[in-house]
Amino acid sequence: MPKPNYGLPVFNRQTTVQWHDAEINRCLAAIWDAAVVANLDGPAAEALMEEFRDLWDDIQAWATQVAADAADIRSRLNPPIVVLAEGQSNFRTIPEQIGGDLTVNPSVLAWNSQAAPMADGTAWVTATPGQNPFIGTAGANNAAWQFCKELQRRTGRKVYLILAALGSHSIEAFMNASDLTNNGWTKPAGDADLFTFVMAQLAAALPLVPGAPTSVDYLLWHQGEANKEDQVEVYAKKLRTVLKRFELNGRIVRNKTEIIAGELLVGANNGRYRERHLNALRRLQMGTREDAFPRFKIARSTGLQPVTINDDLHFSGEDLTALGKRYADAAFTEQVPAEMDPVSCDLSVDGGLGWATGLVAAQTHKTYSRREPVYLADTTITIEDNATLGWCYVAPQNVTTNLPARKIYRVDPYAQFLMSIEARNDHPTDDGSFSLAVLEYDAAMAYLTLNVMTAQTIAPGTTARFWATFGHSGNGRTNHRSFGANARYFSPIWRFNPAGTGAGVRFNLPNPRWI
């Protein structure tokens, strides 16, 4: 008779302890019956069964180790994903944002902290609408949660979410005290200290994630409505400061952490600062120097709908699902840094301006293809709210201020390049002045010269609106200034008080363009 093969039940995922014990007892009974048939006495049969028990235990120990090794391999191949989401009400959710896909995914967990009223988390729980860290409204959706569900679906890995978002909170709420002081910024009086809150949650939550990571894999950001008066470079600097602090604290890693920032809702009333906000996000994508983050992505909001017809700040509950999926799309897409959108009277010329009081023409640009931003230490431009110009920039008095654009262009043999300025001199007695110019480079990218318009004078208490065209001498058009014969590349530059004396000049720069 062939030897029975009872298998190895330890490899069966449906095995229970009771089933395991029953299987052993069945095998032992079969051995006892065989011993009786073979006329073995009691002690001999007992010895045979004891040998079987030892063999079974050895097999069980070996199988347990194999299962542990397999689990370890699976965990190494599919480690958990940690997501930190920060922002305002579109990440926190308002009670009106009802609807969308509210299916709970048991492989998406959330740290059970609460931002309002502020309470530290104690455990990882299955992420469920209406429970911490989300608002208590039943049926309310959440964009960060939707991102995590989509991420889990695409990767098959467990996802851990830490959420820190509060409505109407400025970006300064996410900064530590030293960064605020060093930059001369102030956290509004009503804003909570979200920086300290987030750091406390990370310190408590990360050690409880399998593998105990010390940094997050994804940082989601959806904030900006509370900073609608910040111009492009200002908001970009603030967000860069937030990210650098996370990096210095080891919570994001430059070549590991994906940073995904969301575009604000496209609405009728927020159009102007939404464009500025989007340009500021793009600023963090541009360049290859330390201020740019190589894994910075942008989730666009085009086509998504507001929660009500009179609310163009908050997405509808249904479209929070779509927004979360757009964050996931951005995570899995290689994004080439985009050109800046034209924003009238914004300092957003092709990615913003390099601000300088000293003209360093030969060092302004290194290569055409990399288009790296240039930072000069002697920045003196300030921003203020002017009764005539609105939010504008101020070049100081009695100083020559040069504003070179952040990229260069190839000389077009047929088109004209238009530069414009809106400037005001509020000094009661002194004239101010400005000029429009281009830095010219030859075919080898070597600096040639500064091609400059005649300086324009702004009388005390007056506003000037001025434009000029630069073009190739053979383009068949009337240029205000023609490029030099050897010029193959150029970069726009705006100059204030080029003689070194004169009143301070307030100004806005409409976006330059080809015509």
Side-chain angles (χ1 to χ4, degrees), residues 125-413:
V125 297
T126 301
T128 305
Q131 300 180 13
N132 286 351
F134 309 115
I135 65 171
T137 304
N141 205 343
N142 184 275
W145 175 54
Q146 296 293 346
F147 165 81
C148 291
K149 291 199 299 178
E150 184 66 14
L151 186 63
Q152 198 285 323
R153 186 188 69 80
R154 297 191 191 193
T155 64
R157 297 155 63 181
K158 276 195 171 183
V159 180
Y160 293 74
L161 169 65
I162 301 172
L163 178 64
L166 280 176
S168 303
H169 273 55
S170 68
I171 191 172
E172 287 83 356
F174 296 90
M175 298 181 189
N176 75 356
S178 62
D179 288 333
L180 290 170
T181 300
N182 292 339
N183 288 282
W185 299 324
T186 303
K187 180 169 66 69
D191 281 8
D193 182 0
L194 287 170
F195 172 81
T196 300
F197 176 74
V198 168
M199 288 301 159
Q201 305 322 304
L202 290 169
L206 291 181
L208 302 182
V209 176
T214 58
S215 60
V216 301
D217 299 289
Y218 291 89
L219 172 60
L220 309 185
W221 181 263
H222 206 281
Q223 191 280 336
E225 297 91 343
N227 290 85
K228 64 182 181 180
E229 294 176 344
D230 285 348
Q231 298 292 328
V232 173
E233 292 288 342
V234 175
Y235 190 85
K237 183 178 181 181
K238 288 179 178 179
L239 182 52
R240 188 183 306 119
T241 300
V242 170
L243 299 179
K244 285 293 292 181
R245 179 56 56 186
F246 274 116
E247 185 178 36
L248 290 172
N249 288 359
R251 296 313 191 186
I252 67 174
V253 178
R254 185 171 290 258
N255 290 313
K256 167 197 170 184
T257 305
E258 294 272 358
I259 303 167
I260 309 173
E263 179 185 19
L264 305 182
L265 179 65
V266 181
N269 296 322
N270 69 354
R272 177 78 177 273
Y273 70 80
R274 180 194 63 81
E275 291 177 350
R276 287 203 302 266
H277 176 268
L278 178 59
N279 281 344
L281 300 183
R282 287 170 168 167
R283 277 288 297 106
L284 271 74
Q285 283 188 318
M286 301 180 71
T288 57
R289 300 189 181 206
E290 187 176 345
D291 74 314
F293 287 83
R295 303 176 75 88
F296 190 97
K297 310 288 185 64
I298 299 174
R300 299 298 303 271
S301 66
T302 307
L304 301 185
Q305 299 302 306
V307 66
T308 67
I309 194 171
N310 296 319
D311 182 343
D312 65 357
L313 297 179
H314 299 100
F315 298 90
S316 69
E318 292 83 358
D319 276 354
L320 286 180
T321 298
L323 180 63
K325 290 182 178 180
R326 291 193 184 188
Y327 269 85
D329 289 340
F332 288 91
T333 303
E334 288 297 325
Q335 292 189 0
V336 177
E339 297 294 328
M340 308 294 278
D341 283 341
V343 181
S344 177
C345 297
D346 258 347
L347 204 71
S348 57
V349 181
D350 297 302
L353 299 176
W355 297 344
T357 56
L359 176 60
V360 192
Q363 283 76 41
T364 299
H365 299 283
K366 298 300 183 184
T367 65
Y368 177 77
S369 59
R370 295 181 71 182
R371 299 176 180 177
E372 292 191 347
V374 176
Y375 281 96
L376 301 176
D378 50 357
T379 300
T380 59
I381 299 300
T382 58
I383 301 174
E384 68 175 39
D385 189 4
N386 180 266
T388 302
L389 301 181
W391 284 94
C392 65
Y393 301 84
V394 184
Q397 64 180 357
N398 298 324
V399 174
T400 299
T401 302
N402 296 285
L403 300 179
R406 198 171 289 282
K407 60 173 280 189
I408 64 176
Y409 299 85
R410 190 186 299 273
V411 172
D412 189 303

Side-chain angles (χ1 to χ4, degrees), residues 24-61:
I24 289 180
N25 290 330
R26 186 179 69 81
C27 293
L28 293 177
I31 292 173
W32 180 267
D33 292 342
V36 171
V37 172
N39 296 318
L40 294 177
D41 58 14
E46 288 286 356
L48 183 61
M49 287 191 290
E50 185 64 29
E51 182 177 352
F52 172 80
R53 288 192 188 95
D54 292 342
L55 176 62
W56 187 278
D57 289 343
D58 289 344
I59 293 173
Q60 181 68 40

Side-chain angles (χ1 to χ4, degrees), residues 11 59-74:
F11 289 119
I59 293 173
Q60 181 68 40
W62 171 79
T64 300
Q65 182 61 49
V66 169
D69 291 344
D72 180 64
I73 292 172
R74 283 195 298 271

Side-chain angles (χ1 to χ4, degrees), residues 79-127:
I81 299 173
V82 181
V83 178
L84 171 62
E86 296 187 302
Q88 289 185 226
S89 51
N90 275 311
F91 259 11
R92 172 155 177 80
T93 305
I94 61 173
E96 292 78 12
Q97 290 173 308
I98 303 294
D101 177 17
L102 302 180
T103 305
V104 173
N105 183 336
S107 293
V108 175
L109 292 87
W111 183 245
N112 66 344
S113 57
Q114 181 54 253
M118 197 168 280
D120 292 333
T122 58
W124 290 103
V125 297
T126 301

